């Protein structure tokens, strides 16, 4: 209630200030309008209307300059040529003094106006800042602790009922204390997390000193299963299942003590005890199975079956307790935003990654100076960094901080909700998300400015003019459809098409520099094996790049366009020199390791014939010169090339015209087929996916 | 470390000794046998460097007491451990701890960490704790003495 009143008060004030700004602007316009009159005053006073003269005199009215005198001058001015020199001098001196006085006054007024305007802008900024702290009903953001005192002072002086004011002060006070308490807690938890991670790294290192001898456990298990008695089969089968799961989840630990203690010891309780001795139950069980139980099964099957039974019970209990439900779920959109922005910021952070700690401190102190409003001082700290870079570094740190706060709250939502309540936690999460969005925007702006600083503004502006890159697919999109279907099994099928569509949008609408920045190289393999030399060369010339959207990864290359084709594309598809043709040849579900790269690389070889065909069609000018070159070629190579062209274009005779015709037809076909598919994807046409709705 | 693997094995095999004590001995020995003759304080400091700043012993204890308290609050089975932690917190909240109390608290926390299945962090007191614990168990346990 009170908050709503306060918000309205602030908004009204902002509106008032905006009105004042308008008046000042009007005044400035008026001054500009007077410039012509002043110029005319110097030239010929008679041309000025009485009205304009009145306005001017009002500006500078004093004993020296009165309407009466000016009118007198105006009256006798037409007889200028008849006047003697003395009189001319007196009049022109008077006009000069008059003009000077006006100019002086104008300058002074302008200065006053500008300082008034600046003061109002500062006021508006403050009011907007304060107004952003709340929505119509409640407080949504804390006041930074540096500004708290001045905000309270401000609050005390607003023109509202004193009871309302007192309640507002209490509400803000309360909110701030609660908020910073939460933030303190989050910070502390993050530190504790860091400590625990380091401790577990040390503990892990201690456990893995040497390779543990491993027998063919799965073979042994199979043997045990085959030889098992009827009543044991069920237990053995379960153990096989558990062993397989454990093998993925844990590693065998190398501990002298466990070896000594369990050697020839098949007491059920001792085994259960040892599992509980170790901090990681799964690891202990796996070690026990691998080193003692399975290899010794044949000699002590009776005792070991009992141990197996206990193991199954204990394992079931830990499986159950590890199933934890997510309490707070982010929307798909937010998740996608976080993934995208994190990747983007990570990319930007690369430029600072290799700096030594000392240099990073330099950046931080430079930023402190900038924040204090002393940019000159900042420049003096180190000439190595531009102010833009310093700000970018600070923003990246801030981004990471906010992101870790957000993750901490989401991961431990249960704990925070129990201490602070669901509503507050949800509010915090929204605030962190908002902050992240804000910072990402600022980082993007900063990066653009940096690029402008480095490469000049024009190139970027041109590139942004009309962005209509062309995305094409090999095999008329058949392969891509297969990939999409494969993904929609792993991924939620409903997300597949929108994600692919968003990625294609990114490729079509992003300028080449930015696309380069938001994607990454997929390096060709270090060992080529017996890959064809021609493929290797093409591979090195056409760097594969990887684009991410949601959980889907896209592999594409940029297709070179020959000058004649460029003209054709320009005419028919509105393509210009800043556009690119991208060949999107594969997409796959994220696996989180190098498998991503392998898939993109493998597909490049598998589809090479088609990829090479497309590269040739777009990148070659089949003109006289080309034919001359072709026929001059050595006999063997020549024949192969000619056959290749004939087969590719389905023509019998090689001439400039026939080639050109076939080439344009092929270009149209590739682009049109790809466009058809893109339209279907954008329309979210679920018929594209064979398993649509099946899950 | 004044005891060898056979001493530890005897403790583990002894039915009169309670499970938590066994677990503590087992874990401490596992760590110490690997870090024999190493500077254990270095391991502890590595853990407690946060943003290039080495936390003080007082700060370290504060963080651990709080995080352990949170852990036992979730689980009602740990009433005794919780009581100990609350007492420690009360002492801690007075704002200052003597160096002997710091060492004592570190040992207590190490024991609790092991019992709760966490990785230990106070490496600086691990060896002393192990020796004290072994001595106590052997002294308390008649059967072992007569062995």
């Amino acid at each position: 209630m009170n908050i709503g009143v306060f918000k309205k008060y602030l908004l009204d004030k902002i509106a008032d200030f905006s009105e004042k700004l308008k008046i000042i602007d009007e005044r400035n316009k008026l001054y500009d309008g007077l410039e012509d009159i002043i110029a005319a005053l110097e030239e010929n006073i008679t041309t000025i209307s009485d009205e304009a003269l009145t306005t001017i005199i009002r500006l500078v009215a004093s004993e020296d300059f009165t309407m009466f005198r000016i009118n007198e001058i105006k009256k006798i001015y037409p007889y200028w040529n008849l006047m003697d020199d003395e009189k001319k001098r007196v009049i022109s001196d008077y006009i000069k003094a008059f003009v000077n006085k006006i100019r002086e006054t104008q300058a002074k007024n302008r200065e006053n106006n500008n300082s008034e305007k600046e003061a109002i802008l500062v006021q508006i900024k403050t009011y907007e800042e304060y107004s952003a702290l709340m929505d119509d009903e409640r407080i949504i953001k804390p006041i930074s602790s540096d500004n708290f005192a001045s905000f309270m002072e401000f609050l005390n002086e607003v023109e509202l009922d004193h009871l309302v004011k007192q309640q507002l002060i209490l509400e803000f006070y309360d909110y701030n204390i609660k908020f910073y308490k939460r933030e303190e807690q989050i910070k502390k938890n993050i530190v504790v997390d860091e400590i625990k991670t380091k401790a577990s790294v040390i503990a892990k290192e201690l456990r893995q000193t040497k390779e543990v001898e491993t027998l063919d456990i799965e073979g042994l298990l199979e043997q045990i299963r085959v030889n098992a008695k009827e009543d044991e089969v069920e237990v053995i089968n379960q153990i096989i299942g558990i062993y397989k799961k454990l093998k993925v989840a844990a590693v065998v630990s190398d501990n002298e003590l466990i070896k000594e203690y369990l050697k020839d010891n098949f007491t059920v309780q001792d085994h259960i005890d040892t599992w509980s001795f170790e901090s990681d139950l799964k690891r202990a069980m796996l070690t026990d199975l691998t080193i003692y139980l399975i290899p010794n099964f044949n000699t002590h099957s009776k005792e070991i079956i009992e141990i197996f039974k206990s193991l199954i019970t204990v394992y079931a209990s830990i499986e159950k307790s590890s199933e934890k439900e997510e309490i707070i779920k982010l929307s798909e959109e937010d998740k996608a935003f976080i993934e995208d922005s994190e990747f983007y910021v990570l990319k930007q952070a690369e430029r600072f990654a290799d700096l030594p700690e000392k240099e990073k401190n330099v950046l931080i102190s430079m930023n402190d100076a900038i924040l204090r409003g002393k940019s000159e001082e900042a420049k003096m700290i180190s000439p190595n960094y531009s102010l833009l870079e310093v700000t970018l570094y600070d923003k990246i740190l801030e981004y990471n901080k906010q992101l870790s706060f957000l993750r901490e709250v989401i991961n431990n939502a249960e704990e925070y909700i129990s201490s602070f309540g669901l509503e507050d936690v949800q509010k915090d999460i929204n605030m962190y998300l908002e902050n992240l969005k804000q910072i990402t925007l600022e980082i993007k702006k900063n990066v653009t400015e940096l690029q402008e600083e480095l490469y000049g503004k024009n190139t970027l502006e041109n590139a942004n003019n009309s962005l209509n890159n062309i995305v094409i697919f090999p095999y008329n999109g058949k392969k891509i459809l297969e990939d999409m279907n494969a993904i929609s099994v792993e991924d939620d099928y409903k997300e597949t098409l929108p994600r692919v569509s968003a990625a294609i949008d990114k490729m079509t609408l992003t300028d080449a520099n930015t696309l380069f920045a938001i994607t990454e190289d997929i390096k060709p393999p270090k060992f080529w094996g017996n890959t064809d030399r021609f493929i290797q060369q093409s591979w090195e010339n056409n760097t594969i790049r990887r684009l991410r959207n949601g959980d889907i990864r896209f592999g594409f290359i940029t297709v070179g366009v020959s000058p004649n084709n460029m003209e054709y594309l320009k005419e028919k598809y509105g393509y210009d020199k800043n556009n690119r043709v991208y060949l999107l040849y594969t997409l796959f579900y994220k696996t989180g390791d190098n498998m991503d790269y392998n898939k993109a690389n493998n597909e490049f070889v598998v589809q090479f014939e088609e990829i090479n065909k497309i590269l040739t069609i777009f990148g070659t000018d089949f003109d006289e010169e080309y034919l001359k070159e072709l026929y001059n070629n050595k006999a063997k190579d020549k024949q192969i090339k000619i056959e290749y062209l004939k087969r590719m274009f389905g023509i019998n005779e090689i001439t400039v015209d026939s080639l050109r015709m076939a080439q344009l037809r092929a270009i149209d076909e590739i682009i049109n087929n790809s466009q058809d598919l893109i339209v279907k994807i954008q329309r979210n046409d679920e018929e594209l996916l064979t398993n649509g709705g099946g899950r | 470390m004044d005891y060898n693997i056979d001493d530890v094995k005897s403790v583990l095999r002894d039915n009169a000794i309670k499970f938590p004590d066994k677990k503590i001995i087992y874990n401490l020995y596992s760590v110490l046998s690997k870090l024999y003759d190493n500077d254990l304080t270095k391991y502890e400091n590595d853990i407690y460097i946060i943003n290039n700043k080495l936390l003080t012993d007082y700060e370290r204890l504060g963080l651990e007491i709080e995080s352990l308290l949170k852990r036992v609050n979730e689980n009602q089975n740990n009433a005794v451990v919780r009581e100990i932690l609350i007492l420690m917190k009360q002492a801690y909240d007075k704002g200052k701890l003597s160096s002997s109390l710091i060492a004592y608290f570190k040992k207590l926390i190490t024991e609790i960490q092991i019992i709760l299945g966490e990785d230990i962090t106070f490496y600086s007191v691990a060896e002393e704790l192990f020796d004290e614990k072994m001595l106590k168990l052997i002294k308390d346990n008649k059967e072992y003495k007569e062995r």
Side-chain angles (χ1 to χ4, degrees), chain B residues 52-101:
Chain B
N52 290 333
K53 186 185 154 250
L54 199 57
L55 299 185
T56 64
D57 279 338
Y58 186 75
E59 287 168 333
R60 297 176 198 192
L61 284 171
L63 285 172
E64 292 301 338
I65 292 173
E66 234 173 84
S67 96
L68 286 173
L69 254 177
K70 216 158 54 192
R71 175 94 196 260
V72 295
N73 275 342
E74 290 163 11
N75 189 343
Q76 297 305 318
N77 297 340
N78 297 315
V80 181
V81 173
R82 191 159 153 258
E83 217 167 283
I84 296 171
L85 284 168
I86 288 173
L87 283 174
M88 282 165 78
K89 176 113 174 76
Q90 282 169 1
Y92 179 85
D93 283 346
K94 285 180 185 154
K96 218 184 154 204
L97 294 174
S98 67
S99 56
S100 60
L101 205 52

Side-chain angles (χ1 to χ4, degrees), chain A residues 185 188-189 191-192 194-196 198-200 202-203 206-207 209 254-258 260-263 265 270 273-274 276-279 357 415, chain B residues 5 8-9 12-13 19 22-23 26-27 29-31 34-35 43 46-50 52 55 63-64 66-67 70 113 117-121 123:
Chain A
Q185 186 65 46
K188 221 184 239 173
N189 289 354
V191 170
V192 169
E194 198 180 327
I195 288 170
K196 298 289 163 215
K198 284 190 203 160
S200 93
I202 291 179
L206 288 180
R207 284 191 295 268
T209 39
D254 177 32
N255 190 331
E256 281 300 316
L257 193 53
I258 210 173
E260 286 285 328
Y261 186 53
L262 292 178
K263 201 173 174 188
N265 177 354
D270 277 356
D273 279 355
T274 350
S276 338
F277 285 156
E278 292 259 352
S279 56
E357 212 51 48
E415 178 196 330
Chain B
I5 193 159
V8 177
K9 251 164 67 184
L12 295 184
R13 292 231 160 97
F19 178 78
K22 285 183 185 176
K23 189 169 179 174
Y26 174 92
N27 274 283
Y29 182 82
S30 304
V31 169
K34 292 277 166 58
L35 293 177
Y43 284 88
D46 281 351
I47 292 176
Y48 287 103
I49 288 183
I50 303 290
N52 290 333
L55 299 185
L63 285 172
E64 292 301 338
E66 234 173 84
S67 96
K70 216 158 54 192
Q113 282 172 335
E118 290 195 0
D119 297 309
I120 66 165
T121 50
Y123 281 84

Side-chain angles (χ1 to χ4, degrees), chain A residues 386-405:
Chain A
S386 74
L387 298 186
L388 279 173
E389 276 174 306
V390 174
T391 322
L392 179 62
Y393 182 69
D394 178 60
K395 294 263 153 56
I396 290 172
L397 291 185
E398 184 60 28
Y399 178 91
N400 289 335
K401 192 174 128 198
Q402 296 285 338
L403 186 63
S404 60
F405 278 9

Side-chain angles (χ1 to χ4, degrees), chain A residues 553-564:
Chain A
R553 306 288 177 258
F554 302 81
F556 69 94
I557 56 173
T558 311
V559 179
V561 180
S562 67
N564 285 346

Side-chain angles (χ1 to χ4, degrees), chain A residues 106 151 159 366 375 423 519 542 624 670:
Chain A
Q106 283 270 66
F151 177 71
E159 297 133 2
M366 283 175 79
S375 309
E423 199 187 330
T519 56
N542 297 288
E624 302 273 346
I670 293 170

